[in-house]
Amino acid sequence: MKEMQSFLREDWLFFRYRINKKINGFFYFLRKIPGLKNLITADIFAAYEFKQAFAILATLVSFLMAFVKKILVLVFTVGLHILAVWRFDEGRNFSEAVQEFLPGSLMLWFMLVAIMGGFGNQFWAILPKEMIAFYQEFLLSKKHFILGQRFVEVWKQGLFYLPAALIYGAIIGKPLHMMIFIFFSYVTANFLFMLLGNSLQLAFVKKPAFRWLTGIIFYVITTAAVIACYWFLPDGINNQLLLQPLVLLLLILLSVVVFYLVWNYRRNQEYIDLAVSRSAFTYSKSETTKRNNAQYIGQGIKMQKHLTLTHNERVEKLSGNDYLNALLFSRYRGAFNQRLKYIGIGFAVTALIIVGVGILDGWQFLTEEITSRLMPSLFLIMYFLSFGKEIVQMIFVNCDVSMLYYPFYREPRTILKGFGYRLRQIFYYNSIIIVGIFGLFLLLHVANGFYLSLSFFAVLLLLLVSLTFLFSFHELFIYYLLQPFTDDLEVQNPAYKVIAGIFYGFAYGNMQIKTAGTIYLVIVSVVSLLYVAIGLVVIYRVAPKTFKIRH
């Protein structure tokens, strides 16, 4: 009894720990939103009375949501049962089906939630990150805390189902019977699978394929059992059977036996050690994969594999910041050229298609108006082909993340010179892409009998030039203005993600425009060039203050 009280006390402390962590995280996020940092000062984290009141509110909401979730789960399974049976009985209307089949829907909840859900909860030996962090930070006994969490969590989730069971039972006229069945069936199934899961995990420590095979076989058998109930017993195993007093008594006795076996399981320490080691390995692998595939920094990390050490006499003659940037780009020149090669192959294939269709007179349906509709899609094409994002990630991961710690590297003159050099490099690679796109339009013009006017090419040239400046400048501009990356390669500034999403939405939105006229294209081109011009002024004035390492 004392040990159970200790489990409950640690669970309450763990709950408060998570609530306070969420509250601190919420205020931390708010302070990162432009305009709110001055309103919400750092003193908010030391306002314990205010945070305590906030924590009480969060606790009440957390418990309320726990009950609501269980009600929704029960409503979903009951509704699924009624819909499934009603679909196979076309003679009844839906209201009649609800009245007739509502009492028999408990079996579906039992199979999906208690049996399949219980197996899923207990079979996989992976611990939540917060659980590991909590016992490590507060130096708790690993075995005692994890074991207590496993027991208490099952009891808590079962109790959270009681309001849902009461409502469901009241509808069919057996509230007490329903509460007993749902609570004890959930608890019994989870403790039973906890016992079986512990044994299987320890038995197949070095044979993960067997563990996965066992899980797959179990779910196949359970699914087949659910289908069999509806196939051979059209009304399912209704509540009249499941809620019989004898069945409920047997269920209570079974729960006591299973809990006793789990409580006295001799290999709990072995299982907990296994779960901790497996969790650490899983999270480490997950973080590595997540970082390598991250949307905002993944390309820069992957490019490290393509670094080449080359000797360049032109680079060796430089000094200071010019030498550092030139050396960096020379070492990744091969990776950039490789990407250009793939883009060039794509352009070459497109050119062959244009020529081939032209020989067969397949472009005769094209007019200048139809071709003009392709221009807005160039925004999205350049969004994916541009070197801006790739180069920004490369320079941070392979240079700035280390060099920004040095005072000389954060001097205004050094920052602005570095920005100018990098902008020229991105512009160089994007210009090659733009020339290729212009060449494809020119080839289409020739292949279709010179059907495009000079005014078309003038607008096209203006648009392509503005896109070159826009996509060469934008990523670098936002990077220097916000510098959103931390020294552990995470995105710290939420504004960066918002801007990235808006910019993608702008590029994608232009692709959806089907009737863009010359005026629209000219306006967008001019606005893009103005954005670059104004941005250069902003960089000159602001970048020396904002371009720094984040923590």
Side-chain angles (χ1 to χ4, degrees):
M1 189 65 181
K2 289 184 178 180
E3 192 167 14
M4 181 57 73
Q5 290 177 349
S6 177
F7 288 160
L8 292 172
R9 185 170 58 254
E10 287 185 345
D11 181 71
W12 174 245
L13 292 175
F14 183 43
F15 174 78
R16 291 179 57 189
Y17 165 82
R18 286 178 293 167
I19 288 291
N20 289 324
K21 192 173 181 180
K22 288 179 181 178
I23 292 173
N24 288 331
F26 176 69
F27 287 126
Y28 180 80
F29 172 78
L30 289 180
R31 294 189 73 244
K32 295 301 176 183
I33 299 177
L36 293 182
K37 187 173 183 179
N38 295 330
L39 297 176
I40 304 175
T41 64
D43 296 335
I44 191 71
F45 297 105
Y48 296 110
E49 293 181 358
F50 173 75
K51 288 170 61 179
Q52 188 67 21
F54 210 84
I56 293 173
L57 178 62
T59 301
L60 294 175
V61 172
S62 177
F63 278 102
L64 178 62
M65 290 305 298
F67 291 125
V68 170
K69 286 178 183 178
K70 301 306 180 187
I71 293 173
L72 292 177
V73 169
L74 195 57
V75 168
F76 172 77
T77 52
V78 170
L80 186 63
H81 167 83
I82 294 173
L83 286 173
V85 179
W86 174 59
R87 293 289 293 178
F88 288 102
D89 195 347
E90 298 179 356
R92 293 183 177 88
N93 61 43
F94 185 70
S95 61
E96 292 176 348
V98 171
Q99 294 176 3
E100 183 171 349
F101 298 122
L102 181 63
S105 56
L106 183 60
M107 179 60 186
L108 185 62
W109 175 89
F110 176 70
M111 297 298 292
L112 292 181
V113 178
I115 301 298
M116 298 180 74
F119 180 84
N121 291 339
Q122 308 302 331
F123 186 74
W124 315 111
I126 303 297
L127 305 175
K129 283 184 178 181
E130 283 187 329
M131 185 185 294
I132 298 173
F134 182 74
Y135 77 72
Q136 288 178 341
E137 289 180 20
F138 293 93
L139 303 177
L140 300 178
S141 168
K142 179 172 61 177
K143 176 185 176 182
H144 187 271
F145 175 68
I146 295 175
L147 191 63
Q149 279 298 294
R150 300 190 76 204
F151 288 141
V152 173
E153 189 63 23
V154 173
W155 291 112
K156 281 197 312 183
Q157 296 303 319
L159 290 172
F160 287 148
Y161 265 111
L162 290 181
L166 178 62
I167 296 171
Y168 185 24
I171 293 174
I172 65 172
K174 292 187 176 182
L176 182 60
H177 294 72
M178 185 65 71
M179 291 172 67
I180 292 173
F181 178 82
I182 285 185
F183 175 76
F184 282 101
S185 63
Y186 181 88
V187 169
T188 303
N190 273 269
F191 282 134
L192 177 61
F193 289 124
M194 185 185 296
L195 183 64
L196 295 176
N198 291 0
S199 303
L200 286 172
Q201 291 288 342
L202 293 172
F204 299 128
V205 173
K206 297 182 179 180
K207 298 178 180 179
F210 283 95
R211 296 198 305 271
W212 283 100
L213 183 61
T214 303
I216 293 171
I217 291 173
F218 175 83
Y219 279 116
V220 169
I221 292 174
T222 308
T223 305
V226 173
I227 295 173
C229 286
Y230 286 93
W231 185 266
F232 296 107
L233 301 171
D235 293 331
I237 301 178
N238 61 42
N239 297 353
Q240 300 301 321
L241 174 61
L242 294 177
L243 299 182
Q244 288 292 324
L246 180 60
V247 174
L248 297 178
L249 180 60
L250 291 174
L251 188 59
I252 293 172
L253 292 175
L254 181 60
S255 68
V256 173
V257 172
V258 172
F259 181 71
Y260 174 81
L261 293 174
V262 174
W263 183 268
N264 294 282
Y265 186 65
R266 295 181 179 180
R267 303 181 67 185
N268 275 325
Q269 182 64 56
E270 292 181 56
Y271 176 81
I272 289 172
D273 290 337
L274 172 66
V276 170
S277 62
R278 188 169 292 165
S279 300
F281 174 77
T282 301
Y283 290 133
S284 175
K285 186 177 180 180
S286 175
E287 286 298 321
T288 302
T289 303
K290 180 181 176 181
R291 182 168 292 177
N292 289 340
N293 296 308
Q295 175 184 359
Y296 302 102
I297 206 73
Q299 288 178 297
I301 295 173
K302 289 179 181 179
M303 284 192 66
Q304 290 179 326
K305 300 177 182 178
H306 304 289
L307 184 146
T308 56
L309 299 177
T310 58
H311 178 72
N312 190 317
E313 293 184 0
R314 293 176 60 185
V315 174
E316 297 296 335
K317 294 179 181 178
L318 300 174
S319 61
N321 188 61
D322 292 336
Y323 170 76
L324 187 63
N325 280 291
L327 181 65
L328 177 65
F329 277 89
S330 68
R331 291 183 171 182
Y332 287 95
R333 191 78 64 189
F336 297 145
N337 291 339
Q338 184 74 14
R339 185 161 181 257
L340 276 178
K341 186 187 297 183
Y342 291 139
I343 295 174
I345 292 173
F347 284 168
V349 171
T350 305
L352 288 175
I353 294 173
I354 292 173
V355 173
V357 175
I359 293 173
L360 299 175
D361 294 329
W363 297 118
Q364 292 183 357
F365 72 94
L366 280 181
T367 62
E368 184 170 309
E369 181 182 355
I370 295 175
T371 309
S372 297
R373 297 174 187 173
L374 297 175
M375 287 195 195
S377 64
L378 294 177
F379 283 90
L380 191 63
I381 292 173
M382 276 303 297
Y383 179 87
F384 289 111
L385 296 184
S386 171
F387 278 79
K389 183 180 295 185
E390 184 177 2
I391 289 180
V392 164
Q393 294 183 17
M394 181 273 292
I395 58 182
F396 177 77
V397 172
N398 299 283
C399 180
D400 293 347
V401 67
S402 300
M403 296 304 297
L404 279 172
Y405 282 101
Y406 296 97
F408 80 89
Y409 197 75
R410 300 193 302 270
E411 293 179 358
R413 184 171 178 273
T414 303
I415 290 174
L416 295 176
K417 285 190 66 176
F419 178 88
Y421 183 91
R422 293 164 176 182
L423 178 61
R424 291 193 299 272
Q425 292 296 314
I426 300 174
F427 187 86
Y428 166 75
Y429 286 108
N430 284 346
S431 296
I432 297 174
I433 297 173
I434 290 299
V435 169
I437 293 174
F438 186 83
L440 290 177
F441 275 96
L442 191 61
L443 183 63
L444 182 63
H445 172 61
V446 175
N448 196 29
F450 302 92
Y451 73 108
L452 298 173
S453 65
L454 289 177
S455 60
F456 173 89
F457 280 104
V459 175
L460 176 64
L461 188 61
L462 175 64
L463 178 63
L464 292 176
V465 170
S466 66
L467 289 180
T468 308
F469 278 101
L470 176 65
F471 284 95
S472 300
F473 174 78
H474 174 74
E475 288 290 341
L476 199 63
F477 171 61
I478 299 301
Y479 171 58
Y480 271 78
L481 193 64
L482 300 178
Q483 207 308 84
F485 308 122
T486 63
D487 51 0
D488 57 352
L489 307 182
E490 297 290 339
V491 177
Q492 184 255 9
N493 195 327
Y496 179 77
K497 295 182 179 181
V498 174
I499 293 172
I502 293 174
F503 193 66
Y504 171 77
F506 172 73
Y508 181 78
N510 272 277
M511 189 175 183
Q512 305 306 309
I513 298 174
K514 305 299 182 183
T515 58
T518 301
I519 296 177
Y520 171 80
L521 295 172
V522 171
I523 291 175
V524 171
S525 300
V526 172
V527 169
S528 298
L529 294 174
L530 284 174
Y531 169 73
V532 174
I534 296 171
L536 288 172
V537 176
V538 173
I539 283 293
Y540 179 79
R541 294 181 177 275
V542 178
K545 302 175 184 177
T546 59
F547 191 59
K548 55 186 178 181
I549 198 69
R550 306 288 179 184
H551 299 284

